[in-house]
Amino acid sequence: MQITVNSRDEKSLAGIAALLRSRNPAHQVDTLAGPLKRLPVASSPDVVIVDQPSIEAGDLDNLERLSNQHPRIAFILLCRHHTPDFLLQAMRAGVREVIDYPAPPGCLYQAIERIEEKLQRRSHANGKLLAFISCKGGSGATFLATNLAYALAAQGDSRVVLIDMNLQFGDASLFVSDQKPLATLADVAQQIHRLDPSFLASSMLNVLPNYGVLAAPDDPTLANDVKPEHVDAILRLARQHYDFIVLDIGRSLDAISIRALDQADMIFPVLQTTLPYIRDGKRLLDVFHSLDYPMEKIHLLVNRHDKGSEISVYDLVTAYGSDVYMTVPNHYEAAAASVNQGIPVLQLAPTSPITRALQEFARRLSGAAPIAAQDGWLGRLLRRA
């Protein structure tokens, strides 16, 4: 492990470095005197320990900037006095641990051990972030996001979370459960200083033992309580503890949704094969281009696909200059019953063509083998995608 210690006090700097070297001589411990404005260009530490940061000197602002530039670095603060307000600002700045100063060796060592454990898990626990966004209202993005998350969880032991990012009018939990969520994304944001794996898990509505939904606020006015930095912290934590993080973005593009889309591994614009959807889909792809999202990050989904439609999948590919990742067939009866009863379509209608398409979608994302030989209608459907 590589550790950088920063302090304005050279005596304190030397003492902290000596403590760390005595704990594990194999660790590389570097020191950086003065205010923490930047990390050395050649430095790529796993941990940065900041001794006695000053709000007045702008140290937390510098920490937030560095945390955004180096999201894999764990920051530890050593503080003589800290208020709840300070702790909240530190969390927003991306700080992992705040320890009383002078630091008892045991406390500092325990903090380092916790980070070591997380680093060891990182290679095995780097969840895939999937974002669903509607090209136009009524596309069925929420239905696909919630039911795909169910399919991912149901096919094995993957841990899956769906986060409803439609902050003003989100209702994703209703698509897969008839239970009222005990907490929402706004509640987590209001108590962001408590954010840890158990708090995040306890804030979810459990659909399956390995599938939870973090619901949108009931009151649209509470959307203002969720800030971009909260999204960063929640998604960073979720990646470490879940195999798949599915985001239902809704349709609006704002600071919150763009922050989430920035971090997504795959973005799924959902559209249907009608002209208004195609027009709005083109506009959305233009926005993604302006945000410098690589094309390999964008994967078009065609929902309620009808082979007899006047506009074919080939027409979409020609219009967008981009392949269609997946098509989901139209089966209104099953979809409507699922939404009205709050039961996942895979559970309510296991033989529906929508169910089979979602199961194949989930297997494709998880790298599993196809569920059947691709010589029937589903095989032809997938080859066209």
Side-chain angles (χ1 to χ4, degrees), residues 48-53 60 63 75-79 86 90 95-100:
V48 173
I49 299 174
V50 183
D51 175 44
Q52 294 300 296
L60 287 185
L63 275 170
F75 289 89
I76 297 176
L77 302 188
L78 305 181
C79 304
F86 177 87
V95 173
R96 184 71 57 79
E97 304 263 359
V98 178
I99 300 173
D100 289 334

Short mmCIF file of all heavy atoms in Angstrom, two decimals, residues 48-53 60 63 75-79 86 90 95-100:
data_model
loop_
_atom_site.label_atom_id
_atom_site.label_comp_id
_atom_site.label_asym_id
_atom_site.label_seq_id
_atom_site.Cartn_x
_atom_site.Cartn_y
_atom_site.Cartn_z
N VAL A 48 -4.47 9.02 1.44
CA VAL A 48 -3.89 10.32 1.78
C VAL A 48 -4.39 10.69 3.17
O VAL A 48 -5.60 10.75 3.40
CB VAL A 48 -4.27 11.40 0.76
CG1 VAL A 48 -3.79 12.77 1.24
CG2 VAL A 48 -3.67 11.10 -0.61
N ILE A 49 -3.47 10.92 4.10
CA ILE A 49 -3.81 11.32 5.47
C ILE A 49 -3.50 12.80 5.61
O ILE A 49 -2.36 13.23 5.38
CB ILE A 49 -3.01 10.50 6.50
CG1 ILE A 49 -3.35 9.01 6.35
CG2 ILE A 49 -3.29 10.98 7.91
CD1 ILE A 49 -2.50 8.10 7.23
N VAL A 50 -4.52 13.59 5.95
CA VAL A 50 -4.36 15.04 6.08
C VAL A 50 -4.46 15.41 7.55
O VAL A 50 -5.47 15.16 8.21
CB VAL A 50 -5.44 15.79 5.26
CG1 VAL A 50 -5.21 17.29 5.35
CG2 VAL A 50 -5.41 15.33 3.80
N ASP A 51 -3.41 16.02 8.05
CA ASP A 51 -3.32 16.40 9.46
C ASP A 51 -3.79 17.83 9.65
O ASP A 51 -3.30 18.76 9.01
CB ASP A 51 -1.85 16.26 9.92
CG ASP A 51 -1.64 16.73 11.34
OD1 ASP A 51 -2.47 16.39 12.21
OD2 ASP A 51 -0.65 17.44 11.59
N GLN A 52 -4.81 18.00 10.51
CA GLN A 52 -5.32 19.32 10.90
C GLN A 52 -5.74 20.18 9.70
O GLN A 52 -5.20 21.27 9.47
CB GLN A 52 -4.26 20.07 11.71
CG GLN A 52 -3.94 19.46 13.06
CD GLN A 52 -5.19 19.41 13.96
OE1 GLN A 52 -5.74 20.42 14.33
NE2 GLN A 52 -5.63 18.20 14.25
N PRO A 53 -6.71 19.72 8.91
CA PRO A 53 -7.19 20.55 7.80
C PRO A 53 -7.92 21.78 8.32
O PRO A 53 -8.49 21.78 9.41
CB PRO A 53 -8.15 19.62 7.05
CG PRO A 53 -8.64 18.68 8.11
CD PRO A 53 -7.49 18.47 9.04
N LEU A 60 -10.87 21.81 2.71
CA LEU A 60 -11.93 20.87 2.29
C LEU A 60 -12.28 21.05 0.82
O LEU A 60 -12.59 20.08 0.13
CB LEU A 60 -13.16 21.04 3.17
CG LEU A 60 -13.04 20.51 4.60
CD1 LEU A 60 -14.37 20.63 5.32
CD2 LEU A 60 -12.57 19.06 4.62
N LEU A 63 -9.65 19.25 -0.95
CA LEU A 63 -9.88 17.81 -0.82
C LEU A 63 -10.96 17.33 -1.79
O LEU A 63 -10.83 16.27 -2.41
CB LEU A 63 -10.28 17.46 0.62
CG LEU A 63 -9.14 17.25 1.61
CD1 LEU A 63 -9.70 17.17 3.02
CD2 LEU A 63 -8.39 15.98 1.28
N PHE A 75 -9.27 9.16 1.55
CA PHE A 75 -8.76 10.30 2.33
C PHE A 75 -9.13 10.13 3.80
O PHE A 75 -10.27 9.82 4.13
CB PHE A 75 -9.33 11.61 1.80
CG PHE A 75 -8.79 12.01 0.45
CD1 PHE A 75 -9.41 11.59 -0.71
CD2 PHE A 75 -7.64 12.79 0.35
CE1 PHE A 75 -8.91 11.94 -1.96
CE2 PHE A 75 -7.13 13.15 -0.89
CZ PHE A 75 -7.77 12.72 -2.05
N ILE A 76 -8.13 10.34 4.68
CA ILE A 76 -8.33 10.29 6.13
C ILE A 76 -7.95 11.65 6.70
O ILE A 76 -6.90 12.21 6.36
CB ILE A 76 -7.45 9.20 6.77
CG1 ILE A 76 -7.85 7.81 6.25
CG2 ILE A 76 -7.56 9.24 8.29
CD1 ILE A 76 -6.96 6.69 6.78
N LEU A 77 -8.81 12.20 7.57
CA LEU A 77 -8.51 13.47 8.23
C LEU A 77 -8.20 13.24 9.70
O LEU A 77 -8.87 12.44 10.37
CB LEU A 77 -9.70 14.43 8.12
CG LEU A 77 -10.21 14.80 6.72
CD1 LEU A 77 -11.25 15.90 6.83
CD2 LEU A 77 -9.07 15.23 5.82
N LEU A 78 -7.19 13.95 10.20
CA LEU A 78 -6.86 13.97 11.63
C LEU A 78 -7.23 15.36 12.14
O LEU A 78 -6.67 16.36 11.70
CB LEU A 78 -5.38 13.70 11.86
CG LEU A 78 -4.81 12.40 11.25
CD1 LEU A 78 -3.33 12.26 11.59
CD2 LEU A 78 -5.57 11.20 11.75
N CYS A 79 -8.20 15.44 13.08
CA CYS A 79 -8.73 16.73 13.51
C CYS A 79 -8.77 16.82 15.04
O CYS A 79 -9.17 15.86 15.70
CB CYS A 79 -10.15 16.95 12.98
SG CYS A 79 -10.27 16.82 11.20
N PHE A 86 -18.89 20.05 10.17
CA PHE A 86 -17.60 19.73 9.56
C PHE A 86 -17.61 18.32 8.99
O PHE A 86 -17.10 18.07 7.89
CB PHE A 86 -16.49 19.88 10.60
CG PHE A 86 -15.12 19.49 10.09
CD1 PHE A 86 -14.33 20.42 9.44
CD2 PHE A 86 -14.64 18.19 10.24
CE1 PHE A 86 -13.07 20.06 8.96
CE2 PHE A 86 -13.40 17.82 9.77
CZ PHE A 86 -12.62 18.77 9.12
N ALA A 90 -16.93 17.20 5.22
CA ALA A 90 -15.87 16.24 4.90
C ALA A 90 -16.40 15.09 4.06
O ALA A 90 -15.76 14.66 3.09
CB ALA A 90 -15.24 15.72 6.19
N VAL A 95 -14.20 12.39 1.90
CA VAL A 95 -13.34 11.86 2.96
C VAL A 95 -13.89 10.53 3.46
O VAL A 95 -15.09 10.38 3.67
CB VAL A 95 -13.23 12.87 4.11
CG1 VAL A 95 -12.48 12.27 5.30
CG2 VAL A 95 -12.52 14.13 3.63
N ARG A 96 -13.01 9.54 3.65
CA ARG A 96 -13.41 8.21 4.08
C ARG A 96 -13.48 8.10 5.61
O ARG A 96 -14.37 7.47 6.16
CB ARG A 96 -12.42 7.19 3.54
CG ARG A 96 -12.75 5.74 3.82
CD ARG A 96 -13.92 5.26 3.01
NE ARG A 96 -13.72 5.42 1.58
CZ ARG A 96 -13.00 4.60 0.82
NH1 ARG A 96 -12.39 3.56 1.35
NH2 ARG A 96 -12.90 4.81 -0.47
N GLU A 97 -12.50 8.71 6.32
CA GLU A 97 -12.42 8.57 7.79
C GLU A 97 -12.03 9.92 8.40
O GLU A 97 -11.22 10.65 7.83
CB GLU A 97 -11.35 7.53 8.17
CG GLU A 97 -11.53 6.16 7.57
CD GLU A 97 -12.23 5.21 8.52
OE1 GLU A 97 -12.55 5.63 9.65
OE2 GLU A 97 -12.44 4.04 8.13
N VAL A 98 -12.61 10.23 9.57
CA VAL A 98 -12.20 11.39 10.36
C VAL A 98 -11.82 10.89 11.75
O VAL A 98 -12.64 10.25 12.43
CB VAL A 98 -13.32 12.45 10.46
CG1 VAL A 98 -12.86 13.61 11.34
CG2 VAL A 98 -13.72 12.94 9.08
N ILE A 99 -10.58 11.15 12.18
CA ILE A 99 -10.05 10.62 13.43
C ILE A 99 -9.61 11.78 14.32
O ILE A 99 -9.07 12.78 13.83
CB ILE A 99 -8.84 9.69 13.15
CG1 ILE A 99 -9.28 8.52 12.25
CG2 ILE A 99 -8.24 9.16 14.44
CD1 ILE A 99 -8.12 7.65 11.80
N ASP A 100 -9.87 11.64 15.63
CA ASP A 100 -9.46 12.68 16.58
C ASP A 100 -7.94 12.86 16.57
O ASP A 100 -7.18 11.91 16.40
CB ASP A 100 -9.91 12.31 18.00
CG ASP A 100 -11.41 12.42 18.15
OD1 ASP A 100 -12.02 13.20 17.40
OD2 ASP A 100 -11.97 11.69 19.00
#
